[in-house]
Amino acid sequence: MTGIYVDWGGHKLKLMWMKDLMPQRELITSVHAFCFYEGQLLLVNLNDRGWDFPGGHIEDGETVEACVIREVMEEAYVTGDWTLLGAIEVNHEENPLWNPSSPYPKVGYQVFYRMDITELLPFDAGFESSERMLIRPEEAAHYHKGWQKGFDEIMDAALGVKKRRTGLCDNELFNRRLGL
């Protein structure tokens, strides 16, 4: 992916998707998961952001993998098998509003995983999400208000994981179940 520029609350940032990258732990600002269940993508309605992918910040002493498992359970009430997809580099080098005392590094990373849901638990809304839903992957941009071009590449990577494992992508598996 070539870098794309976004405006996050007046901050001009350059984002770049890097497939299969696991950055140094201290440069990771958040961890997220594209979760799939029977060919559908799971989204959660986060109280402060609207429809989004489960994810969040790593807690002190927590590994990146433990963070994604915890965040997905807290926000979506699911468990599953996960696969690293890569990371988005979040670059503030051209951001005149970036402050060295910011909790975020000048160049940081958001790590993304694919999770294949093995257990869909009763939804309790006990943390920061009010509901969850399963949608067709191609509908994600319609629900996710912060959808940007880079997410298309992450979605392609997430759908490609299933293809590497089974020889079929989620949409092909879904269509086969429907007899199409």
Side-chain angles (χ1 to χ4, degrees), residues 8-168:
W8 285 354
H11 292 259
K12 181 181 178 183
L13 306 172
K14 183 178 181 184
L15 306 178
M16 185 172 305
W17 169 244
M18 299 178 175
K19 192 172 182 202
D20 300 321
L21 175 70
M22 175 55 79
Q24 295 175 355
R25 164 66 181 81
E26 61 274 6
L27 297 177
I28 299 172
T29 60
S30 61
V31 179
H32 307 273
F34 280 46
C35 302
F36 294 90
Y37 184 72
E38 296 182 354
Q40 294 190 302
L41 176 68
L42 181 137
L43 293 178
V44 292
N45 193 355
L46 297 175
N47 298 335
D48 62 341
R49 289 196 309 260
W51 291 106
D52 206 342
F53 314 106
H57 300 285
I58 302 171
E59 295 180 355
D60 288 339
E62 189 174 46
T63 66
V64 178
E65 293 80 11
C67 176
V68 75
I69 292 165
R70 176 184 54 78
E71 287 287 349
V72 167
M73 176 57 83
E74 286 178 358
E75 294 178 1
Y77 296 89
V78 299
T79 62
D81 301 321
W82 46 267
T83 303
L84 174 68
L85 297 174
I88 292 178
E89 180 185 87
V90 180
N91 189 321
H92 291 267
E93 290 176 342
E94 297 176 50
N95 178 8
L97 300 178
W98 184 81
N99 183 329
S101 63
S102 166
Y104 300 108
K106 191 169 239 180
V107 178
Y109 297 88
Q110 296 178 342
V111 174
F112 284 81
Y113 287 88
R114 174 189 169 117
M115 179 177 280
D116 292 297
I117 297 170
T118 56
E119 191 172 15
L120 196 61
L121 301 166
F123 187 80
D124 188 36
F127 291 91
E128 57 194 285
S129 58
S130 59
E131 57 188 316
R132 70 179 178 202
M133 70 174 166
L134 293 165
I135 62 169
R136 294 189 332 253
E138 59 271 16
E139 296 176 318
H142 299 293
Y143 289 96
H144 190 290
K145 72 176 183 173
W147 191 269
Q148 41 90 359
K149 184 181 174 186
F151 287 153
D152 290 330
E153 291 187 53
I154 301 170
M155 181 68 77
D156 288 346
L159 293 172
V161 168
K162 194 68 164 181
K163 190 169 190 169
R164 286 195 302 267
R165 284 190 193 150
T166 66
L168 297 171

